[in-house]
Amino acid sequence: MDYHARILASQGHHERAQALRDRSALAHEIDADRSVAGRCTAELVRRRSAQA
């Protein structure tokens, strides 16, 4: 994604390039949050199965 942002910036589209970088950073944060949520869910399922 950074490659595309650099191309946009080199063409003078600095605001669009920054928006693309921001969107990419947000996507990485969302992926990290989903990963944590997935691990928590797996742990919860494991604990409930162990109790049964």
Side-chain angles (χ1 to χ4, degrees):
M1 211 41 102
D2 193 53
Y3 170 77
H4 293 54
R6 284 183 296 185
I7 290 173
L8 285 169
S10 72
Q11 295 173 347
H13 302 288
H14 300 287
E15 289 180 13
R16 289 178 64 195
Q18 187 59 51
L20 185 58
R21 285 187 190 103
D22 292 347
R23 188 176 71 184
S24 179
L26 183 58
H28 287 296
E29 288 181 36
I30 290 169
D31 287 344
D33 288 348
R34 285 181 180 157
S35 178
V36 169
R39 287 194 304 271
C40 291
T41 301
E43 178 65 16
L44 180 61
V45 169
R46 186 191 66 74
R47 288 181 184 185
R48 285 186 179 168
S49 295
Q51 289 176 352

